Amino acid sequence: MHYSVYLAGEIHTDWREALVSASDGLPVSFSAPVTDHAASDDCGVAILGAEDNKFWHDHKGAKLNAIRTRKAIEEADIVVVRFGEKYKQWNAAFDAGYAAALGKSLIVMHGADHQHALKEVDAAALAVVETPEQVAQILRYVIDGTLPR
């Protein structure tokens, strides 16, 4: 069996690379949003034209990014959503809610300091973890029943 895993959320650290590396050898394919922050923010105006108002600038980018995000979440078997330490990632919360509404297996990753703020998101998840290695251990267990040593 092959699993498709969508990696949503925080784009400022290397958690995706750590997870992919820790999942080496598993029958898993990973997808993600565009993680180049400037490209993600500016895609709408770069393709559709400049906007004087920042609201419309962001609105165009959000819509273009949603094309990729919706398709990836809909096609994923498992959705992992990481909430980082530095920024409030409302888009990550939205992705988690969308995945939950679609009945996707949801794994949420964040530090203990976000526990209260994300209690509703955590309640929708099948697992809440703090590290990419824990996600890889979950994938390994789900796929072949192997526990960490």
Side-chain angles (χ1 to χ4, degrees), residues 32-44:
V34 171
T35 58
D36 177 325
H37 200 171
S40 177
D41 284 352
D42 297 336
C43 64

Side-chain angles (χ1 to χ4, degrees), residues 39-60:
S40 177
D41 284 352
D42 297 336
C43 64
V45 295
I47 297 168
L48 302 173
E51 291 291 342
D52 293 332
N53 184 309
K54 182 68 170 151
F55 173 84
W56 295 112
H57 177 280
D58 289 344
H59 188 75
K60 283 182 174 180

Side-chain angles (χ1 to χ4, degrees), residues 8-10 13 15 80-85 89 92 109-111 130:
E10 185 262 319
T13 64
W15 72 272
V80 179
V81 181
R82 161 108 171 104
F83 292 87
E85 304 304 318
Q89 291 109 43
M109 184 186 333
H110 61 76
E130 291 190 15

Side-chain angles (χ1 to χ4, degrees), residues 120-131:
E120 286 82 8
V121 173
D122 290 351
L126 296 179
V128 179
V129 302
E130 291 190 15
T131 69

Side-chain angles (χ1 to χ4, degrees), residues 64-136:
L64 295 189
N65 285 315
I67 295 168
R68 179 185 180 114
T69 301
R70 288 180 187 179
K71 175 92 169 140
I73 291 173
E74 289 166 5
E75 291 183 353
D77 299 306
I78 300 168
V79 176
V80 179
V81 181
R82 161 108 171 104
F83 292 87
E85 304 304 318
K86 188 172 180 183
Y87 301 100
K88 299 197 184 326
Q89 291 109 43
W90 308 120
N91 58 321
F94 185 86
D95 290 351
Y98 187 58
L102 293 174
K104 299 297 176 175
S105 295
L106 177 62
I107 300 171
V108 174
M109 184 186 333
H110 61 76
D113 56 328
H114 284 71
Q115 184 177 0
H116 179 74
L118 293 171
K119 63 186 178 292
E120 286 82 8
V121 173
D122 290 351
L126 296 179
V128 179
V129 302
E130 291 190 15
T131 69
E133 293 75 23
Q134 289 174 308
V135 176

Side-chain angles (χ1 to χ4, degrees), residues 22-37:
S23 302
D24 189 45
L26 292 176
V28 176
S29 60
F30 294 97
S31 61
V34 171
T35 58
D36 177 325
H37 200 171

